[in-house]
Amino acid sequence: MYDEDDLREIRQGKEEWEEDTRSPVLERFGERKERFATVSNLEVEDLYDPTDVADIDYEEELGYPGEDPYTRGVYPTMYRGRTWTMRQFAGFGTAEETNDRFHYLIENGQTGLSTAFDMPSLMGKDSDDPLSDGEVGKEGVAVDTLRDMEILFDGIDLDEVSTSFTINPSAPVIFAMYVALADQQGVPRDEIRGTFQNDMLKEFIAQKEWVIPPEPSLHTVTDTVEFAVEETPNIKPISISGYHIREAGSTAVQELAFTLADGFAYVEDAMERGLDVDEFAPQLSFFFNSHNSIFEEVAKFRAARRIYSTVMDEWYGAESEKSKQLKFHTQTAGQSLTAQQPLNNIVRVTIQALAGVLGGTQSLHTNSFDEALALPSEQAVRVALRTQQIIAEESGAADIIDPLGGSFAVESLTEEVEEKTMAYIEEIKEMGDGSVRDGVLEGIDRGYFHREIQEASYEYQERVEDGEEIVVGVNKYDIEEDTKPDILQVDEETQNRQLARLEEVKEERDDDAVEAALDDLQDAIDNDENVMPAIVDAVKEYATMGEIMDVFEAEHGAYQEKIGLA
């Protein structure tokens, strides 16, 4: 970007500045800290200049928005065309209560729904399972049968809303219920829009929710991809998720590297299934965390797009531009929220949301300020949504495409994040003897990812304990305060109401039809067929979440025994 004569003059000018201007001030006043670093502990310089980006090829590495390598954004107009989709996580109690929250959010300007499920639903258990006792509706909505899904979306036209579902082991069942609900509403399957998290590799790396082992889990995820390509082209069947990897304590680089590696593993598995990369890749999506170090986060998002475009082209032969465009959802960092002085979280969330916008996210969830204490209250949810709306409408951040592009600091950080991320991905690929998929599976089996994240998490906590990393209101600027503010409470009668509905459904349904549908699902598994059509048929007969997942668990229970959970 600069010729050698320019760079020589800039280096000389910087040396003179350091000696004549900066040094006297440093000698007299010093600096606040001996070392400055990002949340992920990447050291940052005091000043960046053209010499830090001298090796960047503008056309090859930056280019223009909407053009390869998409460093500057996946769309030519970005938010000047339309803003990102604004989502707020919603889900608690029964389907009726969550439906009320959905309508509240839509009335307040939300442009996409995002659904949280309770732990039994996440783990494929029915509300009447002994293991579900005390957990029904507590951290998300309880969904046992298609009846719950009907109530959950009562008054909401599926052809007019985009819905995100944060669910993993039982994602195929929720996907099937959504398809069945669309069939009920008369909405063509190719018109329903939404995203299913459905990222099982991430579960074995970080979040730890699974029902069947890694390889059959991966096989089932690929079933959903194949089904989505054929039946629901506007559904994204996987949201390949770095969010939970970061929440588990990883650095920004580890989050990006492990997430992209998971994504490439899904690509390889689908291609081995015989799917054409340009047929399914446009339906893949990603989900990242946005933490406090605003420039590190922006660099991470920009590096993500560049790496993905290059790898999809060079490793997997993608030809369609849509196959090389990394599109992602962002959620602000839950791990950063504090129970102490919870209103401080509004500021943290604003900074993190701004980083997502400056980094070019396609949709955004802003955490509520009270989430370190309980499920979000309506007031807290409204503030979180208004945060996005103020950024979009008042800040000007959405008016310039890639506004930090060309920043010496951001471009240098982008290069550094890209280099360190690719080093991880190459290491994972080597573990798989040239296959990223096999490397991810091997890494899970070896505990490689757990160790890497654990070491990063421990190192961060050490810095917090030593006061090197400041957490306002926790290890600095703390005060005496009331730690019991008004928070949302889930009605203790929720479980009883849910159990009553489940019992009613079981009494009304045709048990013979349910049994036949579950037998068909077993046949699909035995014959190595795509399981999604059989699951759709089963949910239409009001087979329960637990009954469907029990078929899978019975087939693969050995994994739980292997790791000592059976």
Side-chain angles (χ1 to χ4, degrees):
M1 294 175 70
Y2 295 86
D3 64 32
E4 284 303 317
D5 290 338
D6 291 334
L7 293 171
R8 192 177 303 111
E9 289 183 15
I10 290 167
R11 290 189 185 97
Q12 182 178 345
K14 185 174 182 180
E15 289 172 4
E16 293 173 356
W17 168 78
E18 288 173 341
E19 183 176 348
D20 300 338
T21 304
R22 187 183 64 166
S23 290
V25 175
L26 280 178
E27 290 172 6
R28 185 175 178 186
F29 300 107
E31 292 184 325
R32 289 185 291 113
K33 296 188 287 187
E34 290 185 8
R35 179 176 180 271
F36 290 81
T38 67
V39 168
S40 298
N41 209 24
L42 290 182
E43 189 163 355
V44 293
E45 302 295 334
D46 57 350
L47 184 71
Y48 292 83
D49 62 29
T51 62
D52 294 293
V53 295
D55 295 332
I56 291 179
D57 183 314
Y58 184 87
E59 292 290 338
E60 290 293 321
E61 297 179 71
L62 295 180
Y64 295 93
E67 293 183 358
D68 195 31
Y70 307 104
T71 308
R72 308 202 66 184
V74 292
Y75 297 119
T77 58
M78 288 303 289
Y79 309 134
R80 289 171 69 96
R82 71 177 184 89
T83 59
W84 58 94
T85 300
M86 300 181 189
R87 298 188 188 275
Q88 290 303 118
F89 218 23
F92 63 93
T94 61
E96 289 92 345
E97 291 169 296
T98 301
N99 178 261
D100 288 342
R101 179 61 66 86
F102 279 170
H103 283 285
Y104 171 82
L105 290 168
I106 291 170
E107 289 163 6
N108 276 276
Q110 183 167 303
T111 54
L113 299 176
S114 186
T115 314
F117 297 88
D118 69 359
M119 185 56 69
S121 299
L122 290 171
M123 296 302 294
K125 300 294 183 185
D126 290 335
S127 296
D128 59 2
D129 190 293
L131 291 174
S132 301
D133 189 27
E135 293 292 336
V136 176
K138 284 296 177 69
E139 62 176 39
V141 64
V143 174
D144 293 311
T145 70
L146 180 59
R147 180 71 50 78
D148 295 308
M149 191 70 86
E150 293 163 355
I151 297 168
L152 188 61
F153 288 93
D154 184 41
I156 297 171
D157 295 327
L158 298 195
D159 56 348
E160 295 181 5
V161 69
S162 170
T163 307
S164 173
F165 296 91
T166 302
I167 196 157
N168 293 283
S170 50
V173 182
I174 297 297
F175 187 4
M177 288 182 181
Y178 202 60
V179 170
L181 186 60
D183 290 349
Q184 275 188 10
Q185 289 189 4
V187 177
R189 292 181 179 183
D190 61 4
E191 290 184 14
I192 55 174
R193 294 175 293 122
T195 303
F196 292 84
Q197 192 165 108
N198 195 27
D199 178 4
M200 285 309 303
L201 293 175
K202 164 267 300 166
E203 292 297 327
F204 295 100
I205 289 172
Q207 197 171 22
K208 317 294 174 58
E209 292 173 3
W210 60 72
V211 174
I212 58 177
E215 288 196 51
S217 291
L218 175 57
H219 187 84
T220 304
V221 170
T222 303
D223 280 356
T224 66
V225 172
E226 185 177 41
F227 181 83
V229 167
E230 295 173 355
E231 298 284 340
T232 59
N234 289 311
I235 290 285
K236 295 190 180 297
I238 324 175
S239 179
I240 303 146
S241 303
Y243 184 85
H244 311 86
I245 294 170
R246 190 67 175 279
E247 291 290 288
S250 80
T251 66
V253 167
Q254 289 171 336
E255 175 197 355
L256 180 55
F258 299 164
T259 305
L260 289 176
D262 287 349
F264 299 143
Y266 291 125
V267 168
E268 290 180 7
D269 202 67
M271 291 179 71
E272 186 169 293
R273 175 78 63 94
L275 299 178
D276 183 275
V277 66
D278 287 320
E279 192 173 35
F280 69 84
Q283 285 179 256
L284 302 180
S285 66
F286 287 79
F287 174 22
F288 292 114
N289 196 300
S290 189
H291 216 292
N292 288 330
S293 291
I294 189 167
F295 302 119
E296 176 177 59
E297 295 305 308
V298 172
K300 178 185 74 181
F301 299 136
R302 299 171 87 250
R305 286 191 292 269
R306 189 153 75 206
I307 293 170
Y308 189 74
S309 175
T310 301
V311 170
M312 290 298 288
D313 179 9
E314 295 180 0
W315 292 8
Y316 303 118
E319 296 181 359
S320 166
E321 293 304 307
K322 290 183 177 180
S323 299
K324 295 182 282 185
Q325 294 171 343
L326 183 145
K327 297 177 182 178
F328 64 97
H329 170 67
T330 303
Q331 182 174 339
T332 56
Q335 179 267 347
S336 73
L337 302 181
T338 63
Q340 301 93 326
Q341 302 178 41
L343 289 178
N344 292 347
N345 294 328
I346 297 174
V347 182
R348 294 186 178 100
V349 168
T350 302
I351 291 168
Q352 295 161 9
L354 184 60
V357 171
L358 295 176
T361 190
Q362 276 58 70
S363 69
L364 179 62
H365 165 87
T366 34
N367 290 330
S368 299
F369 66 81
D370 55 1
E371 286 191 49
L373 300 164
L375 292 171
S377 64
E378 283 196 357
Q379 180 196 29
V381 166
R382 186 168 59 250
V383 170
L385 180 56
R386 293 289 182 257
T387 299
Q388 295 200 47
Q389 292 165 339
I390 289 169
I391 291 173
E393 306 291 349
E394 298 185 25
S395 73
D399 298 346
I400 301 171
I401 304 169
D402 188 30
L404 294 181
S407 157
F408 304 133
V410 169
E411 297 299 357
S412 179
L413 281 169
T414 301
E415 290 276 300
E416 183 176 5
V417 170
E418 179 182 19
E419 180 182 338
K420 292 179 183 296
T421 297
M422 282 306 301
Y424 262 122
I425 292 172
E426 292 287 1
E427 183 179 359
I428 292 165
K429 188 177 182 181
E430 187 175 335
M431 277 195 287
D433 294 326
S435 164
V436 179
R437 180 194 63 181
D438 293 349
V440 169
L441 292 171
E442 180 68 19
I444 290 169
D445 199 47
R446 288 187 196 177
Y448 165 81
F449 299 105
H450 295 170
R451 286 192 302 274
E452 290 291 317
I453 294 170
Q454 184 178 42
E455 289 173 11
S457 179
Y458 180 78
E459 185 272 335
Y460 170 78
Q461 191 59 37
E462 269 195 322
R463 289 191 288 127
V464 172
E465 299 292 337
D466 293 341
E468 184 181 345
E469 188 77 37
I470 300 300
V471 182
V472 172
V474 176
N475 65 355
K476 195 172 184 180
Y477 311 115
D478 54 323
I479 60 172
E480 293 292 327
E481 61 181 323
D482 175 14
T483 57
K484 296 180 180 179
D486 291 335
I487 57 176
L488 178 68
Q489 299 287 344
V490 175
D491 186 347
E492 292 300 323
E493 283 299 307
T494 291
Q495 179 164 317
N496 292 334
R497 291 196 296 270
Q498 186 66 22
L499 291 176
R501 175 154 60 234
L502 179 56
E503 184 178 358
E504 181 182 334
V505 170
K506 288 182 175 180
E507 287 176 354
E508 293 176 353
R509 69 186 187 178
D510 184 336
D511 289 339
D512 290 339
V514 170
E515 186 176 350
L518 294 174
D519 287 344
D520 289 343
L521 174 58
Q522 183 66 62
D523 289 344
I525 294 172
D526 293 342
N527 296 324
D528 199 26
E529 298 172 354
N530 191 307
V531 297
M532 281 302 298
I535 298 176
V536 173
D537 290 342
V539 301
K540 286 184 174 182
E541 298 296 345
Y542 293 88
T544 70
M545 170 77 76
E547 290 167 340
I548 293 169
M549 294 305 295
D550 281 349
V551 177
F552 287 95
E553 193 165 10
E555 189 78 14
H556 301 290
Y559 185 70
Q560 280 80 345
E561 295 173 11
K562 174 184 175 182
I563 59 176
L565 293 180

